[in-house]
Amino acid sequence: VGLVSGTTGVGGGIMLAPLVLSMGWVETRQASAVSAMFNLTNSAAALAGVWATKPALPDSLPWWLAAVGLGAALGSWVGAHYLPDRALKLILAALLLVAGLRMVVI
């Protein structure tokens, strides 16, 4: 997953969810949770790397982090309590389509 996401420039979580679903290792909600935690950990590591090499982070960073945290909490709550598995799979398919188009177009 890391090699493919690194060479394509697409986040690893978007690659991880279809992999674990197609292999039958987890159910849809678990795949969503695993890819969300993968993205969180990967983003935290990237932010730490940037901070280590460029100690002056943007002043707007706390606002962006708050927006990301709020969006993640809201999305997790809606996904866990209200969306059926079919809707989660359709959202994943749409994200994969956008990521694939992004690779071809950009």
Side-chain angles (χ1 to χ4, degrees):
V1 170
L3 177 67
V4 173
S5 67
T7 57
T8 60
V10 176
I14 200 71
M15 308 274 185
L16 183 62
L19 174 67
V20 297
L21 282 173
S22 65
M23 298 300 274
W25 294 336
V26 296
E27 298 296 321
T28 305
R29 292 188 191 292
Q30 292 168 324
S32 296
V34 166
S35 79
M37 286 307 299
F38 183 90
N39 287 335
L40 175 66
T41 306
N42 205 19
S43 297
L47 184 59
V50 169
W51 187 39
T53 59
K54 188 177 181 180
L57 295 174
D59 292 336
S60 60
L61 183 63
W63 292 104
W64 285 107
L65 292 175
V68 167
L70 183 62
L74 182 61
S76 297
W77 179 67
V78 169
H81 296 290
Y82 294 105
L83 292 178
D85 283 350
R86 176 122 173 99
L88 290 173
K89 287 180 181 177
L90 288 172
I91 291 169
L92 176 60
L95 289 172
L96 286 169
L97 180 64
V98 168
L101 289 172
R102 181 177 169 256
M103 285 175 36
V104 172
V105 174
I106 296 176

